[in-house]
Amino acid sequence: MEERERSALHAACAQGHIALVRRLLACGSAVGFAIASSGETALHVACEAGVPEVVRLLLDASASTHVRNHAADAPLHCAAWSGEEEILSLLIDTRAAVESAGHRGE
């Protein structure tokens, strides 16, 4: 995702800046509406970055685990590709749809 396509929340999540994510959320960054031109939410980006604490902050702020990006991938797919078991557990615990396939048919 190119820099110009992301919100400040996307950028903070991508870099794993826990304090900045916390601050942006406290200032009212709209977790559910921060969607890049690729269709990725901040939660997609955080799952790809592989920082469990950032994912936890977004989930606590009511980020949806069901939004799909333009490639038809949910945050759970991004977490699986990052290989972070703790993130997968967080998403599963918040009832992410584990039966749904992403763009690769996985």
Side-chain angles (χ1 to χ4, degrees):
M1 186 179 337
E2 293 182 33
E3 291 296 322
R4 61 182 162 73
E5 298 175 337
R6 301 191 295 188
S7 69
L9 185 59
H10 281 91
C13 290
Q15 297 299 314
H17 291 299
I18 297 166
L20 184 53
V21 170
R22 187 176 284 123
R23 178 113 187 220
L24 287 166
L25 292 173
C27 290
S29 263
V31 165
F33 299 102
I35 299 178
S37 62
S38 63
E40 289 189 321
T41 65
L43 186 58
H44 284 94
V45 174
C47 290
E48 290 170 2
V51 182
E53 184 58 29
V54 171
V55 172
R56 188 175 292 109
L57 288 169
L58 295 173
L59 291 172
D60 288 348
S62 300
S64 174
T65 60
H66 303 292
V67 175
R68 301 231 177 194
N69 63 20
H70 294 319
D73 296 321
L76 185 67
H77 298 105
C78 298
W81 296 319
S82 77
E84 282 290 328
E85 290 183 40
E86 186 176 349
I87 292 174
L88 287 168
S89 293
L90 287 168
L91 294 172
I92 291 168
D93 289 347
T94 58
R95 300 209 157 111
V98 296
E99 302 289 327
S100 65
H103 82 280
R104 298 176 187 171
E106 300 167 331

